[in-house]
Amino acid sequence: MVDELPWWGGLVLPLALGVLVAAAASWDSLLSARASGANATSALTLPFREAGGLLIQQRRRTLAADAMLWRGGALAFVVAGVLASLVTPFGQWAVADFSIGIVWFNAMEVVAWAAVWLVGWGSNSAYGLIGGYRFIAQGLAYELPHMFALITAALGAGSLRVADVVAAQDTLWFVAWMPIAFVIYLLSVLAMSFWGPFDQAVGADIAGGAMAELSGVDRLVFGAGRWLLLVSGAAFAVPLFLGGGAGPLLPSWLWTLLKTLAVLGLLVWVRRRVPTVRMERYEEVAWLVLIPLTLLQALVVAIVVIAR
């Protein structure tokens, strides 16, 4: 059972997401410090110091840049990350309990496509434009496997409402009999936030790509949007495959938080363990391997549902 929060839930949601973003950024910084032998205590506060530095850094812009597209795209990136989480239950509460919650989540992610491309285009920079187009190409590769993974969970519950998906996992979490869909969903979360092995959109070979010309507050906002997408995707994996707030002894909201932190920690850790995948190779794997696997997983789930 998932209940909708009052109007103030929409105000609390960005704050809760911000706390998770700060935790994830600190964890990433700590992993980097451990790899380089740097001081761990200093690493935990590094994201906050970097954010403070960007807040006071003077903005720069390229010649003939379109400021409306450039800054509007970065802001849309943040908004998409927040809106995607409207339908994610936190224990037994959610800001919104739409009847098509899974479709809503997927639609908000698609907004990120336009946002990143607008940032790359609006900067009037070759590197930024290449980064924007790389993300569009990556989106064409990950979106279908991502969509089929979402559909598989919806098929198992017989509903597009996120609350119904959680309720359908009372006896067995979906991750236990939909492992392929779960793994592919996590891969697609990494890709949609161009994180870890899928960071070609902001690759060093193109001087930062979509982020190449961003500075000051603009860079901070765009970076926050990237983290928000990663957090939103990690949080949505909990009601989709991990039983929502189900668990012994602890309250449901705490179980949701612990599961979200576990998934988020894993996604951040992957960045330090898996090398960047070339764009054309990822597209080949997505179309020839991931899509057939998700379709096969959906077929198995459909047969189980029909046989019940």
Side-chain angles (χ1 to χ4, degrees):
M1 180 65 180
V2 174
D3 299 321
E4 285 193 6
L5 288 170
W7 62 269
W8 50 262
L11 302 178
V12 174
L13 178 62
L15 298 177
L17 292 175
V19 171
L20 290 174
V21 165
S26 296
W27 171 238
D28 180 59
S29 181
L30 181 60
L31 290 176
S32 179
R34 290 181 60 186
S36 62
N39 183 272
T41 304
S42 177
L44 289 174
T45 60
L46 180 61
F48 303 98
R49 287 184 277 121
E50 289 181 341
L54 289 174
L55 283 173
I56 62 175
Q57 184 183 71
Q58 184 176 1
R59 283 172 167 174
R60 67 174 188 271
R61 56 183 296 179
T62 53
L63 184 65
D66 191 323
M68 180 178 293
L69 293 183
W70 193 6
R71 290 167 183 165
L75 183 59
F77 205 24
V78 172
V79 171
V82 174
L83 291 181
S85 295
L86 287 180
V87 295
T88 303
F90 190 71
Q92 66 183 65
W93 301 287
V95 176
D97 185 25
F98 301 144
S99 60
I100 53 168
I102 291 178
V103 176
W104 171 271
F105 178 80
N106 193 41
M108 292 304 103
E109 294 172 356
V110 175
V111 173
W113 286 32
V116 177
W117 187 84
L118 286 176
V119 171
W121 176 273
S123 64
N124 193 31
S125 164
Y127 289 140
L129 186 61
I130 292 171
Y133 274 119
R134 277 186 178 183
F135 185 68
I136 294 295
Q138 186 162 284
L140 293 174
Y142 83 74
E143 182 56 35
L144 279 178
H146 178 74
M147 183 177 66
F148 288 142
L150 294 174
I151 289 174
T152 301
L155 183 62
S159 173
L160 292 171
R161 187 187 298 272
V162 180
D164 293 340
V165 176
V166 174
Q169 300 176 68
D170 278 346
T171 55
L172 183 65
W173 294 358
F174 281 174
V175 67
W177 62 296
M178 303 179 190
I180 295 176
F182 177 64
V183 171
I184 291 177
Y185 171 81
L186 294 184
L187 288 176
S188 65
V189 170
L190 290 171
M192 76 183 183
S193 56
F194 41 100
W195 184 263
F198 308 115
D199 63 353
Q200 288 259 297
V202 290
D205 60 322
I206 50 175
M211 298 181 70
E213 305 299 338
L214 294 177
S215 60
V217 176
D218 297 326
R219 191 176 187 88
L220 179 61
V221 171
F222 188 82
R226 186 184 183 192
W227 278 105
L228 279 170
L229 275 183
L230 188 70
V231 168
S232 297
F236 201 64
V238 175
L240 209 61
F241 295 102
L242 301 177
L249 303 177
L250 302 177
S252 60
W253 66 267
L254 187 52
W255 271 117
T256 300
L257 178 61
L258 293 175
K259 293 175 185 178
T260 299
L261 289 174
V263 175
L264 187 57
L266 173 64
L267 295 180
V268 173
W269 175 83
V270 165
R271 180 186 184 187
R272 305 292 172 184
R273 296 296 178 180
V274 183
T276 298
V277 179
R278 279 171 30 194
M279 185 66 62
E280 69 275 14
R281 183 164 296 175
Y282 174 59
E283 291 183 355
E284 182 179 358
V285 170
W287 284 90
L288 298 181
V289 179
L290 299 185
I291 290 178
L293 282 177
T294 50
L295 289 175
L296 179 62
Q297 177 75 94
L299 177 62
V300 171
V301 171
I303 292 173
V304 171
V305 170
I306 292 173
R308 283 177 176 175

